[in-house]
Amino acid sequence: MPISKILAFCSLILVNSFSHAEDITTVTADELARAWSNNQLAAELKYSKKPLQLTGMVDRISSSGDRYYVALDAAGTFLGISVYVRSDALAKVAELQKGQTITMYCENFEDVISYQCHNGYVVD
């Protein structure tokens, strides 16, 4: 493969990576829970269906059926925010400790019995 094609391909990957990073909404677990409880519609418009970079303190690491999640403590909530973890991110999650402050990437935030976010992984 000619070097020019390799360079073009690498450039395309870099451009896509940077444009994707700009679309991520950064928020703390407390801010997200507070926004949701203050005005659910406004919070849905701002946070649902968008990739999030969510920072909070680990309350617990558990599972629901065959899916593992990290529950981040969130002010004013009983269960916190459950970030369901991608299978390729489980090794990193296994290293976490309760009380540790972390940042996670997740998508499709929703309120289904509890606050949930999906396709999560720990951001380094």
Side-chain angles (χ1 to χ4, degrees):
M1 180 180 287
I3 191 76
S4 61
K5 285 187 179 183
I6 293 172
L7 290 174
F9 179 73
C10 291
S11 297
L12 181 62
I13 291 173
L14 285 173
V15 167
N16 285 337
S17 297
F18 287 120
S19 65
H20 176 70
E22 292 172 7
D23 296 340
I24 298 173
T25 300
T26 302
V27 64
T28 69
D30 288 341
E31 290 169 340
L32 183 54
R34 196 170 20 258
W36 205 270
S37 67
N38 287 337
N39 184 333
Q40 184 177 345
L41 177 58
E44 282 182 12
L45 293 172
K46 187 172 183 177
Y47 299 112
S48 292
K49 309 292 185 217
K50 296 181 181 179
L52 301 178
Q53 190 162 309
L54 185 61
T55 300
M57 187 180 350
V58 175
D59 180 50
R60 67 189 175 287
I61 301 163
S62 191
S63 66
S64 176
D66 62 347
R67 297 177 59 211
Y68 283 89
Y69 64 90
V70 176
L72 298 177
D73 193 28
T77 67
F78 180 67
L79 298 172
I81 298 174
S82 299
V83 179
Y84 284 87
V85 180
R86 299 182 335 194
S87 59
D88 64 341
L90 292 174
K92 185 74 172 176
V93 169
E95 299 172 3
L96 300 177
Q97 298 292 319
K98 181 176 180 167
Q100 183 178 354
T101 299
I102 62 167
T103 299
M104 296 190 75
Y105 170 89
C106 64
E107 303 168 342
N108 299 323
F109 181 81
E110 60 186 348
D111 182 5
V112 179
I113 301 175
S114 65
Y115 297 136
Q116 301 176 9
C117 204
H118 304 276
N119 298 320
Y121 61 86
V122 178
V123 176
D124 293 324

